[in-house]
PDB file of all heavy atoms in Angstrom:
ATOM      1  N   GLY A 161       2.482 -10.077  -7.476  1.00  0.00           N
ATOM      2  CA  GLY A 161       2.897  -9.589  -6.158  1.00  0.00           C
ATOM      3  C   GLY A 161       1.733  -8.965  -5.406  1.00  0.00           C
ATOM      4  O   GLY A 161       1.575  -9.180  -4.202  1.00  0.00           O
ATOM      5  N   VAL A 162       0.899  -8.220  -6.128  1.00  0.00           N
ATOM      6  CA  VAL A 162      -0.261  -7.600  -5.490  1.00  0.00           C
ATOM      7  C   VAL A 162      -1.199  -8.669  -4.938  1.00  0.00           C
ATOM      8  O   VAL A 162      -1.675  -8.577  -3.800  1.00  0.00           O
ATOM      9  CB  VAL A 162      -1.011  -6.704  -6.501  1.00  0.00           C
ATOM     10  CG1 VAL A 162      -2.381  -6.330  -5.979  1.00  0.00           C
ATOM     11  CG2 VAL A 162      -0.204  -5.458  -6.780  1.00  0.00           C
ATOM     12  N   GLY A 163      -1.440  -9.722  -5.725  1.00  0.00           N
ATOM     13  CA  GLY A 163      -2.350 -10.786  -5.289  1.00  0.00           C
ATOM     14  C   GLY A 163      -1.809 -11.520  -4.072  1.00  0.00           C
ATOM     15  O   GLY A 163      -2.523 -11.706  -3.075  1.00  0.00           O
ATOM     16  N   VAL A 164      -0.546 -11.924  -4.137  1.00  0.00           N
ATOM     17  CA  VAL A 164       0.053 -12.660  -3.015  1.00  0.00           C
ATOM     18  C   VAL A 164       0.128 -11.762  -1.778  1.00  0.00           C
ATOM     19  O   VAL A 164      -0.177 -12.186  -0.655  1.00  0.00           O
ATOM     20  CB  VAL A 164       1.452 -13.187  -3.407  1.00  0.00           C
ATOM     21  CG1 VAL A 164       2.157 -13.777  -2.198  1.00  0.00           C
ATOM     22  CG2 VAL A 164       1.331 -14.232  -4.499  1.00  0.00           C
ATOM     23  N   GLY A 165       0.512 -10.490  -2.005  1.00  0.00           N
ATOM     24  CA  GLY A 165       0.615  -9.546  -0.890  1.00  0.00           C
ATOM     25  C   GLY A 165      -0.726  -9.351  -0.192  1.00  0.00           C
ATOM     26  O   GLY A 165      -0.785  -9.260   1.039  1.00  0.00           O
ATOM     27  N   ALA A 166      -1.810  -9.326  -0.977  1.00  0.00           N
ATOM     28  CA  ALA A 166      -3.137  -9.137  -0.378  1.00  0.00           C
ATOM     29  C   ALA A 166      -3.460 -10.293   0.563  1.00  0.00           C
ATOM     30  O   ALA A 166      -3.956 -10.086   1.679  1.00  0.00           O
ATOM     31  CB  ALA A 166      -4.192  -9.031  -1.473  1.00  0.00           C
ATOM     32  N   VAL A 167      -3.158 -11.521   0.120  1.00  0.00           N
ATOM     33  CA  VAL A 167      -3.450 -12.691   0.955  1.00  0.00           C
ATOM     34  C   VAL A 167      -2.641 -12.627   2.256  1.00  0.00           C
ATOM     35  O   VAL A 167      -3.171 -12.815   3.354  1.00  0.00           O
ATOM     36  CB  VAL A 167      -3.132 -14.000   0.198  1.00  0.00           C
ATOM     37  CG1 VAL A 167      -3.302 -15.192   1.123  1.00  0.00           C
ATOM     38  CG2 VAL A 167      -4.014 -14.130  -1.019  1.00  0.00           C
ATOM     39  N   LEU A 168      -1.342 -12.324   2.098  1.00  0.00           N
ATOM     40  CA  LEU A 168      -0.488 -12.325   3.292  1.00  0.00           C
ATOM     41  C   LEU A 168      -0.874 -11.211   4.253  1.00  0.00           C
ATOM     42  O   LEU A 168      -0.798 -11.378   5.473  1.00  0.00           O
ATOM     43  CB  LEU A 168       0.976 -12.197   2.882  1.00  0.00           C
ATOM     44  CG  LEU A 168       1.522 -13.458   2.212  1.00  0.00           C
ATOM     45  CD1 LEU A 168       2.939 -13.230   1.742  1.00  0.00           C
ATOM     46  CD2 LEU A 168       1.471 -14.627   3.171  1.00  0.00           C
ATOM     47  N   SER A 169      -1.288 -10.066   3.703  1.00  0.00           N
ATOM     48  CA  SER A 169      -1.625  -8.978   4.617  1.00  0.00           C
ATOM     49  C   SER A 169      -2.905  -9.327   5.383  1.00  0.00           C
ATOM     50  O   SER A 169      -3.067  -8.937   6.544  1.00  0.00           O
ATOM     51  CB  SER A 169      -1.689  -7.664   3.858  1.00  0.00           C
ATOM     52  OG  SER A 169      -2.962  -7.219   3.716  1.00  0.00           O
ATOM     53  N   ALA A 170      -3.790 -10.108   4.736  1.00  0.00           N
ATOM     54  CA  ALA A 170      -4.963 -10.587   5.461  1.00  0.00           C
ATOM     55  C   ALA A 170      -4.550 -11.555   6.566  1.00  0.00           C
ATOM     56  O   ALA A 170      -5.102 -11.530   7.670  1.00  0.00           O
ATOM     57  CB  ALA A 170      -5.929 -11.271   4.497  1.00  0.00           C
ATOM     58  N   VAL A 171      -3.575 -12.400   6.258  1.00  0.00           N
ATOM     59  CA  VAL A 171      -3.070 -13.330   7.282  1.00  0.00           C
ATOM     60  C   VAL A 171      -2.511 -12.540   8.467  1.00  0.00           C
ATOM     61  O   VAL A 171      -2.748 -12.869   9.632  1.00  0.00           O
ATOM     62  CB  VAL A 171      -1.994 -14.262   6.683  1.00  0.00           C
ATOM     63  CG1 VAL A 171      -1.309 -15.073   7.777  1.00  0.00           C
ATOM     64  CG2 VAL A 171      -2.614 -15.191   5.664  1.00  0.00           C
ATOM     65  N   ASN A 172      -1.788 -11.452   8.153  1.00  0.00           N
ATOM     66  CA  ASN A 172      -1.242 -10.619   9.232  1.00  0.00           C
ATOM     67  C   ASN A 172      -2.341 -10.049  10.104  1.00  0.00           C
ATOM     68  O   ASN A 172      -2.239 -10.056  11.334  1.00  0.00           O
ATOM     69  CB  ASN A 172      -0.409  -9.468   8.650  1.00  0.00           C
ATOM     70  CG  ASN A 172       0.829  -9.956   7.953  1.00  0.00           C
ATOM     71  OD1 ASN A 172       1.162 -11.133   8.050  1.00  0.00           O
ATOM     72  ND2 ASN A 172       1.501  -9.075   7.245  1.00  0.00           N
ATOM     73  N   SER A 173      -3.414  -9.522   9.469  1.00  0.00           N
ATOM     74  CA  SER A 173      -4.508  -8.981  10.277  1.00  0.00           C
ATOM     75  C   SER A 173      -5.130 -10.065  11.123  1.00  0.00           C
ATOM     76  O   SER A 173      -5.496  -9.833  12.269  1.00  0.00           O
ATOM     77  CB  SER A 173      -5.654  -8.431   9.476  1.00  0.00           C
ATOM     78  OG  SER A 173      -5.456  -7.695   8.491  1.00  0.00           O
ATOM     79  N   LEU A 174      -5.277 -11.267  10.521  1.00  0.00           N
ATOM     80  CA  LEU A 174      -5.885 -12.373  11.267  1.00  0.00           C
ATOM     81  C   LEU A 174      -5.052 -12.685  12.510  1.00  0.00           C
ATOM     82  O   LEU A 174      -5.581 -12.844  13.609  1.00  0.00           O
ATOM     83  CB  LEU A 174      -5.981 -13.603  10.366  1.00  0.00           C
ATOM     84  CG  LEU A 174      -6.739 -14.797  10.935  1.00  0.00           C
ATOM     85  CD1 LEU A 174      -8.197 -14.427  11.119  1.00  0.00           C
ATOM     86  CD2 LEU A 174      -6.636 -16.003  10.010  1.00  0.00           C
ATOM     87  N   LEU A 175      -3.727 -12.739  12.321  1.00  0.00           N
ATOM     88  CA  LEU A 175      -2.843 -13.032  13.456  1.00  0.00           C
ATOM     89  C   LEU A 175      -3.000 -11.963  14.539  1.00  0.00           C
ATOM     90  O   LEU A 175      -3.050 -12.270  15.732  1.00  0.00           O
ATOM     91  CB  LEU A 175      -1.390 -13.091  12.994  1.00  0.00           C
ATOM     92  CG  LEU A 175      -0.981 -14.343  12.214  1.00  0.00           C
ATOM     93  CD1 LEU A 175       0.393 -14.166  11.591  1.00  0.00           C
ATOM     94  CD2 LEU A 175      -0.993 -15.564  13.112  1.00  0.00           C
ATOM     95  N   LEU A 176      -3.087 -10.687  14.104  1.00  0.00           N
ATOM     96  CA  LEU A 176      -3.202  -9.595  15.078  1.00  0.00           C
ATOM     97  C   LEU A 176      -4.530  -9.650  15.821  1.00  0.00           C
ATOM     98  O   LEU A 176      -4.587  -9.381  17.022  1.00  0.00           O
ATOM     99  CB  LEU A 176      -3.066  -8.239  14.372  1.00  0.00           C
ATOM    100  CG  LEU A 176      -1.665  -7.803  14.007  1.00  0.00           C
ATOM    101  CD1 LEU A 176      -1.693  -6.406  13.414  1.00  0.00           C
ATOM    102  CD2 LEU A 176      -0.759  -7.819  15.231  1.00  0.00           C
ATOM    103  N   VAL A 177      -5.598 -10.000  15.106  1.00  0.00           N
ATOM    104  CA  VAL A 177      -6.919 -10.007  15.730  1.00  0.00           C
ATOM    105  C   VAL A 177      -7.052 -11.189  16.685  1.00  0.00           C
ATOM    106  O   VAL A 177      -7.681 -11.091  17.735  1.00  0.00           O
ATOM    107  CB  VAL A 177      -8.012 -10.060  14.643  1.00  0.00           C
ATOM    108  CG1 VAL A 177      -9.365 -10.296  15.261  1.00  0.00           C
ATOM    109  CG2 VAL A 177      -8.030  -8.770  13.857  1.00  0.00           C
ATOM    110  N   ARG A 178      -6.441 -12.326  16.324  1.00  0.00           N
ATOM    111  CA  ARG A 178      -6.606 -13.536  17.129  1.00  0.00           C
ATOM    112  C   ARG A 178      -5.644 -13.627  18.300  1.00  0.00           C
ATOM    113  O   ARG A 178      -5.802 -14.476  19.158  1.00  0.00           O
ATOM    114  CB  ARG A 178      -6.414 -14.779  16.242  1.00  0.00           C
ATOM    115  CG  ARG A 178      -7.543 -15.001  15.271  1.00  0.00           C
ATOM    116  CD  ARG A 178      -8.781 -15.342  16.044  1.00  0.00           C
ATOM    117  NE  ARG A 178      -9.978 -15.069  15.272  1.00  0.00           N
ATOM    118  CZ  ARG A 178     -10.866 -15.997  14.955  1.00  0.00           C
ATOM    119  NH1 ARG A 178     -10.676 -17.223  15.318  1.00  0.00           N
ATOM    120  NH2 ARG A 178     -11.939 -15.654  14.273  1.00  0.00           N
ATOM    121  N   SER A 179      -4.585 -12.789  18.331  1.00  0.00           N
ATOM    122  CA  SER A 179      -3.590 -12.969  19.378  1.00  0.00           C
ATOM    123  C   SER A 179      -3.984 -12.187  20.625  1.00  0.00           C
ATOM    124  O   SER A 179      -4.925 -11.390  20.609  1.00  0.00           O
ATOM    125  CB  SER A 179      -2.228 -12.485  18.885  1.00  0.00           C
ATOM    126  OG  SER A 179      -2.313 -11.128  18.564  1.00  0.00           O
ATOM    127  N   SER A 180      -3.241 -12.425  21.722  1.00  0.00           N
ATOM    128  CA  SER A 180      -3.471 -11.658  22.941  1.00  0.00           C
ATOM    129  C   SER A 180      -3.041 -10.219  22.717  1.00  0.00           C
ATOM    130  O   SER A 180      -2.261  -9.931  21.809  1.00  0.00           O
ATOM    131  CB  SER A 180      -2.653 -12.254  24.084  1.00  0.00           C
ATOM    132  OG  SER A 180      -1.283 -11.988  23.853  1.00  0.00           O
ATOM    133  N   LEU A 181      -3.554  -9.315  23.526  1.00  0.00           N
ATOM    134  CA  LEU A 181      -3.231  -7.901  23.363  1.00  0.00           C
ATOM    135  C   LEU A 181      -1.729  -7.660  23.478  1.00  0.00           C
ATOM    136  O   LEU A 181      -1.142  -6.909  22.708  1.00  0.00           O
ATOM    137  CB  LEU A 181      -3.993  -7.078  24.400  1.00  0.00           C
ATOM    138  CG  LEU A 181      -3.793  -5.566  24.334  1.00  0.00           C
ATOM    139  CD1 LEU A 181      -4.105  -5.053  22.949  1.00  0.00           C
ATOM    140  CD2 LEU A 181      -4.658  -4.874  25.361  1.00  0.00           C
ATOM    141  N   ALA A 182      -1.075  -8.362  24.439  1.00  0.00           N
ATOM    142  CA  ALA A 182       0.359  -8.143  24.653  1.00  0.00           C
ATOM    143  C   ALA A 182       1.158  -8.559  23.428  1.00  0.00           C
ATOM    144  O   ALA A 182       2.025  -7.814  22.945  1.00  0.00           O
ATOM    145  CB  ALA A 182       0.824  -8.922  25.886  1.00  0.00           C
ATOM    146  N   ALA A 183       0.847  -9.751  22.895  1.00  0.00           N
ATOM    147  CA  ALA A 183       1.572 -10.222  21.717  1.00  0.00           C
ATOM    148  C   ALA A 183       1.311  -9.307  20.527  1.00  0.00           C
ATOM    149  O   ALA A 183       2.222  -8.980  19.767  1.00  0.00           O
ATOM    150  CB  ALA A 183       1.158 -11.654  21.383  1.00  0.00           C
ATOM    151  N   ALA A 184       0.061  -8.859  20.384  1.00  0.00           N
ATOM    152  CA  ALA A 184      -0.284  -7.966  19.272  1.00  0.00           C
ATOM    153  C   ALA A 184       0.503  -6.668  19.386  1.00  0.00           C
ATOM    154  O   ALA A 184       0.944  -6.108  18.379  1.00  0.00           O
ATOM    155  CB  ALA A 184      -1.774  -7.690  19.261  1.00  0.00           C
ATOM    156  N   GLN A 185       0.703  -6.199  20.619  1.00  0.00           N
ATOM    157  CA  GLN A 185       1.459  -4.948  20.782  1.00  0.00           C
ATOM    158  C   GLN A 185       2.926  -5.122  20.436  1.00  0.00           C
ATOM    159  O   GLN A 185       3.519  -4.251  19.796  1.00  0.00           O
ATOM    160  CB  GLN A 185       1.313  -4.446  22.209  1.00  0.00           C
ATOM    161  CG  GLN A 185       0.119  -3.523  22.338  1.00  0.00           C
ATOM    162  CD  GLN A 185       0.086  -2.850  23.660  1.00  0.00           C
ATOM    163  OE1 GLN A 185       0.279  -3.489  24.686  1.00  0.00           O
ATOM    164  NE2 GLN A 185      -0.184  -1.560  23.659  1.00  0.00           N
ATOM    165  N   THR A 186       3.511  -6.264  20.850  1.00  0.00           N
ATOM    166  CA  THR A 186       4.900  -6.537  20.473  1.00  0.00           C
ATOM    167  C   THR A 186       5.021  -6.541  18.947  1.00  0.00           C
ATOM    168  O   THR A 186       5.958  -5.972  18.378  1.00  0.00           O
ATOM    169  CB  THR A 186       5.341  -7.914  21.015  1.00  0.00           C
ATOM    170  OG1 THR A 186       4.958  -7.990  22.378  1.00  0.00           O
ATOM    171  CG2 THR A 186       6.825  -8.108  20.879  1.00  0.00           C
TER     172      THR A 186
END
Side-chain angles (χ1 to χ4, degrees):
Chain A
V162 166
V164 172
V167 174
L168 289 176
S169 108
V171 171
N172 294 350
S173 315
L174 187 65
L175 285 169
L176 282 184
V177 171
R178 289 293 158 120
S179 61
S180 70
L181 182 54
Q185 270 189 314
T186 312

